[in-house]
């Protein structure tokens, strides 16, 4: 059962509630709010690693990236668009600041990484071949699929024989020979086996890294532990034991270092961990429907804004506040919270197999606000224009500094790509 007092402490402090209602009046709803102090707190928690490299696909707002960069965090990019975002945020190409990670190059991105000398983390041998042809001396990492994976859902498991990601571990000895004969410059080895992983398998991952290193038979300068660090979405979840995590990787690092002549750094590549808890989605309650004995509260945000519940059955803390920023309390009812999309699956309270879940929640009134907590990761970056709904604004609060960092897309902008239709061929 949901405990109202939890929300006050962990999700929405009274001050933050007031900020949300003020912004709702100013900007309209729905909108995203990010708290920079929480991002900084999370960065501090990872100081046991030599290098923190942010996986910007979790949240790529340029202004958020600037804050992250100023706190000494490096970055990765998984597309040409993300390379452009990193550069716009002040990251330098041609240095260790920015690494391109993928299993494939499209033609445009290949040209771009060669031109800007961006180190590439290669998830397929085809990438290595294509890069070796065009760019001798290019810095590369190898993303390895160790033969197993873990993740919070099938869709976020990124290792094992069913995963498209990484270079299959059995091909490494052969690959070592290929890299030596090409003129590519090997930086390090990387494994990212899933998102929101549990740590029972950490020892196994570290051992797989050492084994991969041995098979490859080349000196490396760095090992990347990938991302996947979880955050406590449920109030009864524990925080990740970061120190234990860093310690285990340190043991692996020392083993590798002992069998070569150059030092090895450990990188960690978090996405969710840095930004999830910093973000809120604020929507307005527009209908409170009684259906049989239960209720649907329908808000003005849909899965085109926040898709995680519809896509993975993910859980987000939900609470309601009134326009004066008081937490809505009172008798608890069986409540499902849904969006406005013309789609039965547009429900924020559902489990992994798509069954609608009714939660014990107090009933809000029309005009109250609905707050989705822990929405800073894979929220706005996974939004779409489905049902022809424009992308919504983003705001960063940093102490007393409150900034609109993305304005609301207009309907005109949304339609503009279709304006000048013309005949391509007769
Ligand atoms: C998505 C991704 C990450 C970040 O995953 P989180 O679960 O958000 O930490 C890190 N590395 C790679 C290669 C990824 O694809």
């Amino acid at each position: 059962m949901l405990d109202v007092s939890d929300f006050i402490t962990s999700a929405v402090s009274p001050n933050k509630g007031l900020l949300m209602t003020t912004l709702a009046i100013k900007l309209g709803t729905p909108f995203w709010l990010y708290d920079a102090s929480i991002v900084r707190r999370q960065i501090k928690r990872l100081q046991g690693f030599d290098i923190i490299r942010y996986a910007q696909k979790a949240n790529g707002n340029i202004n958020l990236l600037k804050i992250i960069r100023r706190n000494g965090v490096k970055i990765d990019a998984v597309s040409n668009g993300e390379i452009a975002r990193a550069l716009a945020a002040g990251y330098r190409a041609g240095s260790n600041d920015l690494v391109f990670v993928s299993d494939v190059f499209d033609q445009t991105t290949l040209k771009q990484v060669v031109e800007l000398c961006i180190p590439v983390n290669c998830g397929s041998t085809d990438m290595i071949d294509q890069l070796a042809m065009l760019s001798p001396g290019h810095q590369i990492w190898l993303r390895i699929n160790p033969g197993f994976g873990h993740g919070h859902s099938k869709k976020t498991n990124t290792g094992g024989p069913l995963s498209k990601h990484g270079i299959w571990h059995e091909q490494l000895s052969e690959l070592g020979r290929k890299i030596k004969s090409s003129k590519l410059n090997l930086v390090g080895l990387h494994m990212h086996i899933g998102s929101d992983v549990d740590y029972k398998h950490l020892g196994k991952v570290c051992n797989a890294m050492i084994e991969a290193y041995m098979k490859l038979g080349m000196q490396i300068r760095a090992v990347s532990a990938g991302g996947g660090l979880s955050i406590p979405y449920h109030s009864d979840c524990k925080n990740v034991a970061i120190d234990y995590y860093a310690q285990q990787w340190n043991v692996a690092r020392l083993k590798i270092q002992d069998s070569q002549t150059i030092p090895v750094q450990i990188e960690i590549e978090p996405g969710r961990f840095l930004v999830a808890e910093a973000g809120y989605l604020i929507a307005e309650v527009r209908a409170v429907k009684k259906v049989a004995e239960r209720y649907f509260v329908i808000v003005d945000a849909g899965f085109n804004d926040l898709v995680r519940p519809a896509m993975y059955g993910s859980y987000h803390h939900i609470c309601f506040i009134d326009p004066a920023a008081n937490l809505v309390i009172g008798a608890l009812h069986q409540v499902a919270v849904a969006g406005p999309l013309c789609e039965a699956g547009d429900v924020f309270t559902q489990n992994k197999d798509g069954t609608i879940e009714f939660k014990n929640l107090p009933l809000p009134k029309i005009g109250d606000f609905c707050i989705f907590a822990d929405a800073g990761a894979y929220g706005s970056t996974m939004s779409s224009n489905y049902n022809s709904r424009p992308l919504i604004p983003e705001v960063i609060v940093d102490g007393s500094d409150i900034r609109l960092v993305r304005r609301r897309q207009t309907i005109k902008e949304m339609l503009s790509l279709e304006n000048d239709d013309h005949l391509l061929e007769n």
Side-chain angles (χ1 to χ4, degrees), residues 55 57-58 76 78 101 143 190 192 194-196 226-229 269-273 378:
K57 73 174 194 275
D76 74 19
V78 298
V101 190
R143 176 172 183 175
H190 167 271
H192 171 75
S195 271
D196 217 358
L229 295 173
E269 192 186 31
R272 180 189 319 280
F273 185 81
Y378 307 105

Side-chain angles (χ1 to χ4, degrees), residues 19 33-34 36 67 70 395-404:
L19 173 63
L33 176 65
Y34 311 128
I67 293 172
R70 286 191 209 112
V395 176
I396 295 180
V397 52
D398 195 353
S400 58
D401 191 28
I402 300 155
R403 246 168 242 278
L404 180 66

Side-chain angles (χ1 to χ4, degrees), residues 53-58 76 78 101-103 121 143 152 156 158 165 190-197 224-230 233 268-275 377-378:
R53 185 178 300 285
Y54 175 52
Q56 64 168 297
K57 73 174 194 275
D76 74 19
V78 298
V101 190
S102 187
D103 297 286
N121 184 346
R143 176 172 183 175
H152 67 78
T156 60
T158 59
H165 294 293
H190 167 271
M191 278 181 196
H192 171 75
I193 58 159
S195 271
D196 217 358
V197 298
S224 173
L229 295 173
S230 52
Y233 285 104
I268 185 130
E269 192 186 31
R272 180 189 319 280
F273 185 81
L274 294 194
V275 295
Y378 307 105

Side-chain angles (χ1 to χ4, degrees), residues 247-357:
Q247 213 175 42
Q248 293 286 300
W249 276 108
N250 200 32
V251 172
R253 173 241 297 272
L254 292 175
K255 277 203 183 128
I256 292 174
Q257 214 166 249
D258 283 350
S259 41
Q260 62 176 37
T261 55
I262 54 174
V264 176
Q265 290 195 303
I266 313 181
E267 283 199 19
I268 185 130
E269 192 186 31
R272 180 189 319 280
F273 185 81
L274 294 194
V275 295
E277 291 165 283
Y280 308 84
L281 171 63
I282 294 98
E284 189 185 340
V285 173
R286 298 301 305 157
V288 180
K289 267 192 196 182
K290 193 163 188 204
V291 177
E293 292 312 306
R294 299 182 291 200
Y295 291 87
F296 276 89
V297 168
I298 306 186
V299 303
D300 62 3
F303 79 55
N304 67 297
D305 302 304
L306 176 63
V307 79
R308 298 186 68 251
M311 191 159 171
Y312 309 121
S314 303
Y315 171 84
H316 287 271
H317 251 343
I318 292 174
C319 70
F320 303 111
I321 58 176
D322 69 17
N326 299 305
L327 196 72
V328 171
I329 49 174
L332 299 179
H333 296 271
Q334 293 266 288
V335 176
V337 179
L341 302 185
C342 200
E343 183 82 46
D346 186 24
V347 177
F348 294 105
T349 49
Q350 55 179 292
N351 64 25
K352 286 196 184 349
D353 66 24
T355 312
I356 308 297
E357 289 197 339

Side-chain angles (χ1 to χ4, degrees), residues 67-128:
I67 293 172
I68 287 171
R69 178 176 59 79
R70 286 191 209 112
N71 282 273
V73 175
K74 299 184 186 302
I75 199 159
D76 74 19
V78 298
S79 69
N80 201 17
E82 285 196 355
I83 289 173
R85 280 186 183 280
L87 299 177
Y91 284 98
R92 286 175 311 121
S95 73
N96 189 36
D97 269 16
L98 169 60
V99 172
F100 176 72
V101 190
S102 187
D103 297 286
V104 65
F105 284 121
D106 58 57
Q107 305 269 8
T108 315
T109 310
L110 176 56
K111 253 171 91 186
Q112 186 74 338
V113 300
V114 169
E115 221 166 278
L116 299 179
C117 293
I118 297 170
V120 178
N121 184 346
C122 301
S124 66
T125 53
D126 298 286
M127 288 180 80
I128 297 171

